[in-house]
Amino acid sequence: MADITAAMVKELREKSGAGMMDCKKALNETAGDMDAALDWLRTKGLAAAQKKSSRTAAEGLVGVAVAGTKGAAVEVNSETDFVAKNDQFQAFVREVTQIALEQGDAIDTLKAATMPSGKTVEEALTNNIATIGENQSLRRARRLEVSEGAVVAYVHNQQSPGLGKIGVLVALESKAADDVLQALGKQLAMHIAAAFPKALNEHDLDEAEIERERAIATEKAAESGKPADIIAKMVEGGIAKFRKEHALVSQLFVMDGKTKISDVVAKAGKDAGAEIKLVDYVRFQLGEGIEKEASDFAAEVAAVSGVPQGKQAEPTA
């Protein structure tokens, strides 16, 4: 049997949101394999599928900037939320976002780019770490561009102009008037911020993730005891639902709960007298997928798992 440590139980709890005893059992059932344990929990209905991917577990800022037919989004991380309120840090994120807008989103290119101060982005980042006294990193960037139309930006709970914890870009290709595209783009961006799509279209979804969902659905369906042909239909029905719920164009618009996003875009184009195509989007949520150290329930984990965190001193006579 694998040696299940307190740290492993703690990590699985953070990833799954499941109870500690369930996490310990899952790890025992899967010989300590973290991914298999997460799937085991989900099969038993004990874990939230989106828990790990949607949580915000790092600090810093997401920056967005647009200029007509192009837009850029950048995420810069810090250790604490306090740094995100620092004027120096905010200026850095804003300048890096502008550079991404102008020069592209390759991280190596961004780090080597020259800032208004004359320093490279990497040098400025190093200086920030030294002067602010906290580790920081340029994590990711993405630029969108259309040949004709608009790229619209939106920041949820904006902390400062163009800066916040969730940044969205929506790329619309069309000959429609700019005010029409801006209004539609903002509505779509707000939907994206709230609905967290995984891809633009169903065929863009990660097939490895689809297969993982199929395996989980198959195991769940098998527990029903129904005939194989019924189980197969249940599984494929579940996968079809997964695809619709996670592809942007087939999601139901959050503002009315009944109209597909593809139909929202089609109607806007019809009303404007010019076809509008939703060609791409970006959704950056601060800390998405990053696990942050949390020690507030470490002792509880150790107590439940039976693994001591540290040897306590022997009482003296």
Side-chain angles (χ1 to χ4, degrees):
M1 181 180 290
D3 183 19
I4 308 303
T5 66
M8 291 167 68
V9 176
K10 173 174 173 284
E11 181 182 352
L12 183 57
R13 173 173 170 166
E14 291 176 349
K15 287 181 175 180
S16 67
M20 286 180 298
M21 290 301 292
D22 290 327
C23 289
K24 184 181 179 184
K25 184 175 180 181
L27 287 164
N28 281 323
E29 290 287 336
T30 58
D33 185 312
M34 191 64 62
D35 287 338
L38 184 58
D39 285 348
W40 186 92
L41 287 167
R42 291 185 58 201
T43 297
K44 303 301 180 185
L46 299 172
Q50 300 300 318
K51 176 73 175 179
K52 181 182 177 183
S53 60
S54 64
R55 64 190 288 183
T56 299
E59 302 302 337
L61 286 169
V62 171
V64 296
V66 294
T69 57
K70 62 183 179 179
V74 168
E75 178 183 355
V76 183
N77 296 125
S78 62
E79 292 182 55
T80 67
D81 186 54
F82 178 77
V83 170
K85 299 179 176 72
N86 180 285
D87 289 341
Q88 179 180 335
F89 182 76
Q90 290 188 2
F92 173 79
V93 177
R94 194 171 283 114
E95 288 176 5
V96 173
T97 306
Q98 191 61 39
I99 291 171
L101 181 66
E102 296 167 358
Q103 299 187 29
D105 52 21
I107 294 297
D108 288 343
T109 300
L110 279 176
K111 286 183 175 179
T114 303
M115 302 188 75
S117 64
K119 292 186 176 73
T120 65
V121 168
E122 189 163 28
E123 289 169 344
L125 186 60
T126 301
N127 181 67
N128 281 358
I129 294 169
T131 57
I132 296 175
E134 192 171 298
N135 191 33
Q136 297 154 48
S137 64
L138 172 56
R139 184 186 181 203
R140 55 180 173 169
R142 179 92 187 277
R143 186 174 75 167
L144 298 183
E145 188 169 4
V146 293
S147 57
E148 185 176 33
V151 174
V152 182
Y154 168 71
V155 178
H156 185 65
N157 289 339
Q158 185 167 263
Q159 185 167 315
S160 179
L163 303 175
K165 294 194 173 184
I166 300 178
V168 179
L169 298 174
V170 176
L172 299 171
E173 198 166 81
S174 178
K175 295 180 182 294
D178 187 65
D179 60 339
V180 171
L181 299 179
Q182 293 297 325
L184 174 63
K186 185 175 180 181
Q187 286 192 323
L188 294 175
M190 292 172 71
H191 167 92
I192 291 165
F196 201 170
K198 292 178 177 289
L200 179 64
N201 300 293
E202 291 184 26
H203 62 262
D204 294 326
L205 289 165
D206 183 356
E207 284 304 317
E209 185 171 9
I210 295 293
E211 288 309 307
R212 189 170 175 177
E213 289 296 321
R214 180 174 279 108
I216 292 170
T218 299
E219 188 168 346
K220 280 186 177 180
E223 292 177 356
S224 69
K226 294 185 177 181
D229 59 332
I230 300 299
I231 288 176
K233 289 179 181 178
M234 289 170 64
V235 170
E236 290 312 310
I239 294 302
K241 181 181 178 184
F242 179 87
R243 288 183 181 276
K244 287 181 180 178
E245 289 179 347
H246 292 90
L248 175 57
V249 296
S250 58
Q251 287 183 328
L252 297 181
F253 193 29
V254 294
M255 294 187 182
D256 67 15
K258 60 183 181 181
T259 310
K260 287 198 305 184
I261 291 297
S262 58
D263 293 335
V264 171
V265 175
K267 183 178 185 304
K270 184 177 179 181
D271 292 345
E275 182 183 14
I276 299 175
K277 292 182 181 178
L278 171 57
V279 296
D280 209 348
Y281 78 94
V282 172
R283 183 191 188 277
F284 278 0
Q285 179 168 331
L286 182 65
E288 187 179 317
I290 299 176
E291 299 297 339
K292 183 170 64 174
E293 288 296 322
S295 57
D296 52 330
F297 58 87
E300 183 187 0
V301 173
V304 172
S305 65
V307 180
Q309 286 188 290
K311 190 174 182 180
Q312 295 181 343
E314 293 290 336
T316 57

